[in-house]
Amino acid sequence: PVAVGVAEDSFEKAVGELTKYRRLIRRPNKDNENLPVIFNDYMNCLFGDPTTEKELPLIDAAAQCGCEYYVIDAGWYAPGEWWDSVGEWQECRERFPGGIREVTDYIHGKGMVPGVWLELEVMGINCGKAKKVPDDWFFVRHGKRVFDRSRYQLDFRNPAVIAHVNEVIERVVNEYGVGYIKMDYNIEPGIGTEIGAESVGQGMLAHERAYLAWLDDVFARYPDLVIENCSSGGLRIDYALLSRYSIQSTSDQEDYRNYATIAANAGAGVTPEQAAVWSYPMRQGDKEEVIYNMVNAMLGRVHQSGHLAELSEERTELVKEGIACYKKIRSDIKKAVPFYPLDVTDNEDMWACGGLQTKNKAYLAVWKRQMEGKNNDRRQKVGTVCSETMLSIPLDSLPFAGDGIKVSCLYPEKETVSFAVERGVLTVIFEKPVMARLFVVEG
């Protein structure tokens, strides 16, 4: 299937049409209705090195901040360096002496739903099971198994492969008590497989259709299971997958200042209620750094991370406030469409801006990152005025625009900034080099 979004006069309106279409073709699910807040232990936090000892204080902190899901990311299944040995997905007792169920039960006890990381489409070249099974479990070209980055690509046309991945799903859900799976995919296996096909492209197409059929079956058996389409931090953002998966990783960008570009533009590729954006307050940071991180995620799906248990009380309160604010606006996010008052954001821009609009309300994120290499003089829209401390934002594209519009700073409430609205233009003043705020605009 192919869809074309048509609009008379703007990229923004075309994206709005595509957003509505994407919602129409998507599997109905509770995740996209409720937009729960997810904590994941990976980004700028445990980075694939989880243990029971490390998880417990993070679980406490995530619960205290208002998170509703808690995901144990990569590494729970193997000690040490595990990249080329993955594939069997059994809990690692060296990392979790009491078993992973001890940790997932603790997560449940804190009122959150537990999750784990998987990469089910691959087996590492040093995986014990990969050495025992026949070649027809994998993509094959020129008579040899295809591998990339030390992993083989499984072939989902093979019933034995389906039995293998189903066993893993059943085990993590029923034995480990998991309600969320972060499904990763970190290889590029090329043009297909020659086994059972007249061409490698035919083999690829049949495999992809088999994978989608398998996903449909998983969701039929586990309708409340949330599966994130991580795919190497956004490698595969497409609606063959996203008509099934309810949530999509947008990036594994480690610099929160650069993440603003992704957050501002993500709505062009994925509905906002499916767009998972990291917020990871740093161990060494200040209030503005926390605010910036939270604003990054608040118009998509909050993917909270960072060493929350080690933040000062003042910075922790800003995380709590951000999550509480998100919970108040998420019912609007799931029906809003993107708008770009300064056009799409470039990573060289010092100022970034992006928002979501409904019929009578809009949410607007504004970022400033005064960094080496950023172009302070770029004008994203004719008539826009900006300097190192001031930015004017025209709001005339909003359906309720007019002289009577009202603007208020939604987050944070106490860390105020100067702003004013005149003749449909919002002017903000950000005095510090790196800042962000979330505004609400009402007709």
Side-chain angles (χ1 to χ4, degrees):
V2 175
V4 179
V6 179
E8 288 185 2
D9 60 353
S10 74
F11 171 77
E12 180 179 284
K13 290 182 180 178
V15 169
E17 292 302 313
L18 287 174
T19 302
K20 296 171 188 175
Y21 172 79
R22 288 163 177 158
R23 287 173 174 147
L24 286 173
I25 65 170
R26 192 174 60 203
R27 173 183 64 89
N29 64 87
K30 292 181 181 178
D31 187 53
N32 291 148
E33 285 296 312
N34 300 331
L35 281 63
V37 174
I38 298 138
F39 183 92
N40 180 296
D41 69 24
Y42 184 80
M43 185 56 64
N44 287 338
C45 192
L46 300 187
F47 270 135
D49 188 27
T51 65
T52 299
E53 183 180 9
K54 293 176 183 177
E55 296 288 2
L56 297 183
L58 279 172
I59 293 166
D60 290 340
Q64 290 168 4
C65 286
C67 298
E68 294 156 301
Y69 280 68
Y70 187 100
V71 180
I72 302 166
D73 207 280
W76 60 269
Y77 36 76
E81 292 295 325
W82 43 260
W83 182 266
D84 61 3
S85 64
V86 296
E88 299 190 54
W89 314 109
Q90 300 285 344
E91 63 184 356
C92 175
R93 288 286 177 148
E94 290 183 41
R95 293 182 178 276
F96 300 92
I100 205 162
R101 185 66 191 239
E102 177 186 27
V103 179
T104 58
D105 283 348
Y106 192 80
I107 294 167
H108 276 298
K110 292 294 180 176
M112 297 181 292
V113 177
V116 294
W117 181 97
L118 290 171
E119 191 172 356
L120 283 187
E121 294 171 71
V122 305
M123 280 188 178
I125 59 175
N126 288 319
C127 171
K129 193 169 187 176
K131 295 176 181 178
K132 298 174 184 177
V133 299
D135 285 348
D136 66 0
W137 274 51
F138 307 101
F139 276 25
V140 172
R141 292 198 295 271
H142 306 295
K144 296 182 179 180
R145 294 183 185 183
V146 175
F147 71 90
D148 180 53
R149 302 186 73 199
S150 302
R151 276 107 177 273
Y152 299 124
Q153 168 71 50
L154 287 168
D155 189 337
F156 274 63
R157 297 173 300 163
N158 188 326
V161 170
I162 297 298
H164 159 72
V165 293
N166 279 340
E167 184 278 325
V168 177
I169 294 288
E170 289 164 11
R171 175 159 39 84
V172 300
V173 172
N174 297 325
E175 293 183 28
Y176 300 165
V178 161
Y180 186 109
I181 293 171
K182 177 179 177 178
M183 195 74 80
D184 215 337
Y185 185 72
N186 289 295
I187 69 170
E188 296 184 49
I191 58 177
T193 177
E194 66 193 23
I195 290 182
E198 294 181 3
S199 70
V200 292
Q202 184 189 50
M204 171 71 88
L205 180 60
H207 156 78
E208 296 292 359
R209 287 173 172 165
Y211 180 79
L212 294 174
W214 171 74
L215 268 185
D216 290 338
D217 179 62
V218 170
F219 285 121
R221 286 182 287 126
Y222 303 102
D224 294 331
L225 179 65
V226 178
I227 307 183
E228 171 194 343
N229 188 35
C230 172
S231 300
S232 196
L235 182 65
R236 296 191 304 187
I237 299 182
D238 71 80
Y239 268 81
L241 293 169
L242 288 174
S243 61
R244 279 91 171 171
Y245 291 125
S246 62
I247 186 167
Q248 168 70 55
S249 170
T250 55
S251 180
D252 278 346
Q253 169 61 247
E254 295 178 29
D255 189 325
Y256 68 94
R257 300 168 300 179
N258 287 332
Y259 215 132
T261 306
I262 299 160
N265 296 338
V270 58
T271 64
E273 65 271 25
Q274 290 179 283
V277 176
W278 290 107
S279 168
Y280 37 69
M282 312 300 287
R283 273 186 167 122
Q284 304 298 323
D286 58 16
K287 291 188 293 184
E288 291 298 341
E289 174 264 325
V290 176
I291 294 165
Y292 196 110
N293 260 296
M294 296 307 301
V295 172
N296 280 347
M298 288 173 67
L299 294 184
R301 290 295 297 278
V302 177
H303 242 44
Q304 192 66 53
S305 195
H307 291 278
L308 296 187
E310 300 178 31
L311 301 184
S312 67
E313 181 178 352
E314 182 180 54
R315 298 174 73 217
T316 299
E317 287 302 315
L318 285 168
V319 176
K320 291 181 181 178
E321 182 189 346
I323 291 174
C325 178
Y326 177 79
K327 290 178 178 179
K328 292 178 182 177
I329 68 173
R330 60 186 170 184
S331 60
D332 286 333
I333 291 173
K334 68 182 181 182
K335 60 188 179 184
V337 296
F339 83 107
Y340 308 93
L342 300 183
D343 207 345
V344 294
T345 297
D346 186 274
N347 211 43
E348 296 302 308
D349 294 334
M350 183 176 70
W351 293 94
C353 185
L356 299 174
Q357 58 177 312
T358 64
K359 290 183 179 179
N360 55 9
K361 187 184 295 185
Y363 300 100
L364 180 65
V366 182
W367 298 267
K368 175 191 168 189
R369 58 269 175 96
Q370 202 165 353
M371 300 160 59
E372 184 179 349
K374 299 299 180 189
N375 182 353
N376 296 356
D377 296 319
R378 185 172 183 264
R379 299 294 190 268
Q380 293 130 312
K381 191 169 183 178
V382 174
T384 298
V385 178
C386 67
S387 68
E388 290 189 359
T389 58
M390 184 269 290
L391 175 70
S392 67
I393 306 165
L395 303 175
D396 53 339
S397 70
L398 293 172
F400 52 87
D403 291 340
I405 61 171
K406 299 177 182 178
V407 179
S408 55
C409 185
L410 195 62
Y411 172 81
E413 290 186 350
K414 295 180 180 178
E415 302 297 323
T416 58
V417 293
S418 297
F419 66 93
V421 182
E422 185 176 356
R423 296 180 182 179
V425 175
L426 169 65
T427 300
V428 300
I429 297 177
F430 287 1
E431 298 284 357
K432 296 179 181 178
V434 177
M435 296 182 66
R437 293 295 185 271
L438 181 64
F439 298 92
V440 59
V441 186
E442 299 176 273

